[in-house]
Amino acid sequence: MEEEFYFDFGDDAQRSVERYEEMIRNEDQYFFDAQAFENIIDYYIEKSDPVKALQVIEYALNQHPYAAVFLIKQAQLFFITDQIDKAFFALQKAELLEASEAEIYILRGNIYNSLERYGEALDNFQKALGLAETTDEILLQIAYVYQNMLDYEKAIKYIKLSLEQNMENKDGLYELAFCYDILDKQEESIQFYMEYIDNDPYSYAAWYNLANSYHKLDLFEKAIDAYDYAILIKDNFASAYYNKGNALVQLDRYAEAIEVYKQTWEYEQPNADTYCAIGECYEKLEQMDEARAYYKKSVKMDNKLADAWFGIGVTLNFEERYFESLHFYKKAIELDEENPDFWFAMADAYYKLGQIEQSVEAYYKVLDYNPLDIEAWLDFSTVLYEQNRLQEAAETISDGIKNNPDAAELYYRMVAYLFALGQNNEAIAYLETALVTDPEKHYILFEYLPQLQDNSAIINVINRYIK
């Protein structure tokens, strides 16, 4: 007959695990109290070993067949290991034993949520609300269901209810920011976080989310102040340093941004994005060697980061090393084929190398991916005009106007091309439209074709609009 031992190591989880493993080795049968079994199960869950945890549960249920806690843990592990039917069955048995246990309905709600059966998920969470002592986490789970249903207004309502019960819940603060962001309600977001900070001025998460909302409204000075408060409260808050760096960049304060980006390394490993951001700051400061060094560090760390490859190309372009820059632009385009900025740089480099056909092809790509880039329409038409392809230049600007009917620059350029083509009446008609759209910009017409200053028809029309 097997010998039975009774071990009660309630607090000493490690000891319980050792005794359990000894039992398995000896193929013996020891007795553990419920708490010891819970400790052993949690130990294997923390070690990400669900198979062993499920084996322990089998032993636990043999020795404690009426303890619902083991059935709930079993359901949890079945859910994690994608055995959904078994998870539901375990919860059904747990409910028969202990129908008032909120955890049963929370877990069932999570499973239904994962199956996109949102109505049933909400029913279970509502049931859990009536049974649980603390409900802030359940309210947050309900908010997640509404997020999955794309009902962000309802999600906000439940996140706020959750935060009323537990102001320390950082997840709630971040989820709220996410919902406000999707609804594009930054002003409401700012109002909420400011009220929140009135109640809890030391919440670094609230300051951080407030800063992000300011940032999205282009209120960069205010954003920087709020990031500073977040950093003051939590000095190892790497994301706050990084975002503060981004805000400084928006204000063209590149040297300060570099310092702030570098501070993130005190609290987390350097990453490719930060190296790339620093490279961009040095590029803006026209310190191209430094910029290139950081871009290279970035691609070394992540060779899929298109912006960093592009950055290397930009530094070479600045040094008039156009042929070399092409290699890096191509690398960036391989990784991010629909980025109009990459194609624009490529078009420009080909043009400077006198490879006009390749330049023209690249310009078509730019305007395909971003037909709102007025600068690109103007530059592309210039390339055509310089090749004496006047008709194509005019047609290009005409396409540009269709996409950007309010861009006075395009109308003025059209005037120049139509005069060059000898279509004077059409040119005057376009000039009038340009002057109605933006009379102040008429000087760009003469910048482009100075000889038009001697054209009395043009001067007469301009004088009618310019008082």
Side-chain angles (χ1 to χ4, degrees):
M1 179 188 147
E2 284 182 348
E3 196 177 349
E4 281 217 2
F5 299 95
Y6 182 84
F7 293 110
D8 179 5
F9 297 112
D11 293 330
D12 191 355
Q14 191 58 43
R15 180 93 175 113
S16 299
V17 171
E18 285 164 11
R19 298 301 290 165
Y20 172 77
E21 291 186 341
E22 181 188 299
M23 175 187 91
I24 299 295
R25 272 197 311 277
N26 297 341
E27 295 182 6
D28 212 334
Q29 190 71 40
Y30 301 171
F31 187 85
F32 295 87
D33 77 345
Q35 184 58 58
F37 268 130
E38 275 193 66
N39 290 340
I40 300 164
I41 295 161
D42 289 345
Y43 169 80
Y44 287 120
I45 289 174
E46 274 169 39
K47 280 190 73 178
S48 299
D49 194 341
V51 176
K52 277 215 176 113
L54 280 165
Q55 282 170 349
V56 181
I57 288 170
E58 289 299 326
Y59 280 102
L61 284 168
N62 277 329
Q63 293 185 7
H64 305 278
Y66 302 111
V69 61
F70 297 126
L71 289 162
I72 294 169
K73 282 193 185 291
Q74 190 182 46
Q76 196 180 358
L77 288 158
F78 282 142
F79 177 38
I80 290 167
T81 53
D82 225 15
Q83 303 178 67
I84 303 298
D85 290 343
K86 286 183 177 178
F88 278 131
F89 187 59
L91 286 174
Q92 207 178 334
K93 288 200 282 190
E95 194 176 351
L96 288 172
L97 289 172
E98 207 170 326
S100 63
E101 177 50 67
E103 279 300 318
I104 295 167
Y105 309 103
I106 293 171
L107 182 50
R108 197 182 278 146
N110 277 318
I111 298 172
Y112 278 130
N113 189 22
S114 77
L115 296 171
E116 298 181 13
R117 290 164 65 175
Y118 302 126
E120 289 153 296
L122 291 171
D123 290 345
N124 276 278
F125 287 132
Q126 287 297 344
K127 197 158 188 182
L129 280 180
L131 297 167
E133 281 176 37
T134 57
T135 57
D136 60 303
E137 274 300 330
I138 302 169
L139 290 163
L140 211 45
Q141 296 298 333
I142 293 173
Y144 293 147
V145 178
Y146 281 120
Q147 278 186 17
N148 289 340
M149 293 166 76
L150 309 183
D151 186 344
Y152 296 102
E153 297 284 2
K154 277 255 178 68
I156 286 172
K157 178 186 146 188
Y158 278 96
I159 296 169
K160 285 183 174 176
L161 288 171
S162 170
L163 287 167
E164 277 171 25
Q165 294 189 12
N166 177 11
M167 287 190 76
E168 296 302 301
N169 193 325
K170 304 286 180 282
D171 286 346
L173 286 173
Y174 290 113
E175 286 303 322
L176 193 63
F178 171 75
C179 291
Y180 278 132
D181 208 15
I182 292 223
L183 294 171
D184 203 17
K185 292 190 167 179
Q186 302 306 338
E187 282 90 351
E188 273 186 42
S189 175
I190 286 168
Q191 195 183 339
F192 173 82
Y193 288 117
M194 288 181 88
E195 285 169 11
Y196 189 94
I197 286 162
D198 281 345
N199 287 316
D200 182 6
Y202 295 105
S203 169
Y204 63 84
W207 280 109
Y208 176 70
N209 285 307
L210 174 65
N212 287 343
S213 291
Y214 280 137
H215 197 137
K216 285 171 189 131
L217 288 175
D218 295 348
L219 300 167
F220 302 116
E221 300 280 2
K222 285 187 165 178
I224 289 166
D225 285 345
Y227 288 129
D228 280 339
Y229 279 114
I231 289 164
L232 204 62
I233 298 160
K234 182 180 174 15
D235 65 359
N236 64 344
F237 197 174
S239 305
Y241 287 105
Y242 184 75
N243 286 7
K244 179 186 172 184
N246 292 346
L248 287 162
V249 165
Q250 296 294 331
L251 295 169
D252 300 340
R253 290 158 62 180
Y254 302 114
E256 288 172 75
I258 290 168
E259 291 315 305
V260 176
Y261 285 135
K262 286 180 178 176
Q263 276 177 290
T264 62
W265 301 338
E266 291 171 35
Y267 310 110
E268 68 175 17
Q269 288 296 309
N271 62 34
D273 286 327
T274 311
Y275 280 142
C276 188
I278 292 172
E280 213 168 316
C281 289
Y282 279 121
E283 180 200 308
K284 293 285 195 281
L285 294 166
E286 297 189 357
Q287 298 178 30
M288 293 302 165
D289 287 341
E290 248 93 1
R292 196 154 48 240
Y294 275 97
Y295 284 136
K296 282 180 175 173
K297 284 182 181 183
S298 180
V299 295
K300 197 170 179 185
M301 199 163 252
D302 176 5
N303 65 2
K304 297 267 188 290
L305 194 60
D307 281 338
W309 290 109
F310 179 66
I312 297 172
V314 171
T315 64
L316 293 165
N317 180 72
F318 184 85
E319 293 166 2
E320 299 181 11
R321 295 157 67 182
Y322 306 123
F323 186 72
E324 289 170 77
S325 76
L326 278 175
H327 167 75
F328 294 96
Y329 293 154
K330 283 175 184 168
K331 196 88 182 142
I333 284 168
E334 275 171 33
L335 294 164
D336 182 4
E337 198 191 337
E338 296 185 7
N339 188 314
D341 296 340
F342 297 174
W343 284 105
F344 203 163
M346 185 95 121
D348 188 52
Y350 276 130
Y351 171 71
K352 285 169 177 159
L353 288 165
Q355 298 182 25
I356 301 304
E357 275 318 304
Q358 286 98 319
S359 177
V360 167
E361 277 173 38
Y363 272 119
Y364 276 124
K365 292 279 194 188
V366 180
L367 296 166
D368 237 11
Y369 296 131
N370 184 11
L372 304 181
D373 188 340
I374 291 156
E375 210 52 51
W377 288 107
L378 293 169
D379 284 8
F380 182 24
S381 72
T382 300
V383 172
L384 296 166
Y385 182 78
E386 285 176 2
Q387 298 303 304
N388 240 352
R389 292 154 69 170
L390 301 191
Q391 193 59 46
E392 282 179 70
E395 283 163 10
T396 297
I397 289 295
S398 176
D399 287 342
I401 287 170
K402 280 178 202 147
N403 284 286
N404 303 276
D406 299 326
E409 301 94 320
L410 296 175
Y411 292 104
Y412 284 115
R413 180 64 66 88
M414 191 64 156
V415 175
Y417 292 155
L418 290 169
F419 267 109
L421 284 162
Q423 297 175 19
N424 296 9
N425 292 340
E426 288 94 327
I428 295 293
Y430 270 98
L431 178 57
E432 295 200 325
T433 308
L435 288 162
V436 169
T437 310
D438 188 344
E440 298 301 311
K441 285 191 177 151
H442 72 276
Y443 65 88
I444 60 182
L445 182 58
F446 304 131
E447 270 180 8
Y448 194 70
L449 285 184
Q451 62 268 36
L452 293 178
Q453 275 166 321
D454 304 329
N455 184 309
S456 56
I458 286 183
I459 301 302
N460 289 340
V461 174
I462 289 174
N463 286 339
R464 287 215 311 274
Y465 287 87
I466 305 288
K467 299 289 176 276

